[in-house]
Amino acid sequence: MITGVREHLGQALFHRVAGPDGPATRARIHHTPGPRWFGPDRPIRTVHGDASMFIGGLSALLLQSLHPLAMAAVAGHSGYRGDPWGRLQRTSTFLAVTTFGTVEDAQRAVDHVKAMHQRIRGTTADGTPYHAADPHLLAWVHVAETDSFLRAHERYGAHPLDAAGYDAYVADTARVAEALGVTDPPRDRRRLAERLNAFRPELRATSQARAAARFLLFQPPLPLAVRPFYGALAANAVALLPPWARGMLWLPRVPLVEDLAVRPTGQALTRTIRWAMAPPRESHPTRTPRLRP
């Protein structure tokens, strides 16, 4: 019975993250022979293959929303309200392909995203123009995402890395960022923090950003039975945000509650996801958790 519950939960999670084509995409990514951008021992594989990505991914979306130009592009072109699961699946697949796929497959994924970025342009409500292919805007999306994934793994990962390992993770992500058009992405954690801090004068919580936060945290398109579990994920994603970002989004910090209740639920949640999505040890003793498609 336990095995049945595990398989059912794992399949449900995988379908949400990877979509109906997930099994075929996973087989292509992991079983196609050929060189990869990142070898089996690279830190990016450790971080992106861990259940902590569920929390880190949501936290990254909240943080990224604080740049008015990035948020305007998302609100105007991504369809995150009308097709939130499709957006999640496309992002998950891109991360999986560039992290684990062949060089050819990874480059195709990057070229596809770059072509989409070229088409996404417009103006904000105050008339400021934006273009998704702008290297500066791409850099913001990259540093916010990398910082969120790193801190989520450090807090909730099954096997947290040491300082050198997280520096190497930042360097790994820089390879993908450069391929997407980011100029001189940070290559260690210190430079990542400096780059993130340098963006702060440009950030503000627009009405679009707060609307996105309300949607992501309080109005997820999920059955009522699942919402308590999502609530635990959302609470931990908020707790992961830098204090200044939480303040901008009007998400106050309650230290005692977070230390005694929120963080333990995040640890329990990621352990449960890891248990549900990992293949049986006896059949795949060396495989990493089956989080990615």
Side-chain angles (χ1 to χ4, degrees):
M1 183 175 67
I2 293 176
T3 300
V5 170
R6 173 178 172 170
E7 290 180 354
H8 178 75
L9 178 58
Q11 289 171 3
L13 286 168
F14 182 72
H15 180 77
R16 283 292 189 187
V17 173
D21 297 329
T25 302
R26 179 174 58 194
R28 188 191 81 238
I29 291 171
H30 295 286
H31 301 312
T32 301
R36 266 72 176 163
W37 279 354
F38 307 105
D41 60 336
R42 293 307 304 170
I44 193 171
R45 286 187 169 226
T46 301
V47 174
H48 291 178
D50 190 82
S52 60
M53 289 285 284
F54 280 83
I55 295 174
L58 181 55
S59 190
L61 292 176
L62 294 169
L63 184 58
Q64 288 168 344
S65 75
L66 290 174
H67 197 294
L69 302 185
M71 188 62 239
V74 169
H77 301 272
S78 77
Y80 76 92
R81 285 182 175 273
D83 185 25
W85 296 116
R87 184 167 187 256
L88 170 65
Q89 289 154 14
R90 290 187 292 273
T91 301
S92 170
T93 298
F94 178 81
L95 287 168
V97 170
T98 52
T99 303
F100 302 98
T102 64
V103 169
E104 292 81 4
D105 209 8
Q107 189 61 55
R108 278 194 297 269
V110 165
D111 291 343
H112 177 70
V113 170
K114 289 176 71 174
M116 288 196 304
H117 285 167
Q118 286 295 335
R119 296 193 295 269
I120 296 174
R121 61 178 73 227
T123 57
T124 64
D126 64 4
T128 304
Y130 64 81
H131 185 198
D134 176 6
H136 184 69
L137 199 55
L138 290 171
W140 162 250
V141 172
H142 170 68
V143 298
E145 179 181 270
T146 301
D147 184 72
S148 298
F149 291 168
L150 188 158
R151 287 185 293 106
H153 189 268
E154 188 174 45
R155 182 174 295 184
Y156 303 107
H159 303 290
L161 305 175
D162 59 15
Y166 284 123
D167 279 345
Y169 168 68
V170 177
D172 285 347
T173 66
R175 181 172 186 175
V176 181
E178 279 190 319
L180 285 169
V182 177
T183 303
D184 190 25
R187 286 174 166 79
D188 60 44
R189 194 170 188 179
R190 179 182 65 82
R191 292 294 303 276
L192 176 66
E194 290 173 353
R195 195 76 169 268
L196 188 67
N197 191 58
F199 272 102
R200 287 185 60 181
E202 302 176 34
L203 307 181
R204 67 178 187 273
T206 62
S207 59
Q208 290 176 325
R210 292 200 175 102
R214 286 194 299 272
F215 177 78
L216 291 170
L217 298 176
F218 307 116
Q219 302 166 342
L222 289 167
L224 289 176
V226 181
R227 291 198 178 190
F229 300 98
Y230 183 86
L233 186 152
N236 280 275
V238 169
L240 202 64
L241 288 168
W244 52 265
R246 295 181 62 165
M248 294 174 75
L249 288 169
W250 299 344
L251 299 170
R253 184 171 185 267
V254 186
L256 188 61
V257 172
E258 291 186 7
D259 292 342
L260 297 180
V262 174
R263 187 175 295 196
T265 63
Q267 293 166 341
L269 181 65
T270 49
R271 282 197 299 268
T272 301
I273 294 171
R274 201 173 290 122
W275 169 78
M277 301 191 75
R281 289 188 178 184
E282 61 273 16
S283 59
H284 298 287
T286 62
R287 283 183 57 181
T288 52
R290 192 174 48 186
L291 172 63
R292 66 275 178 188

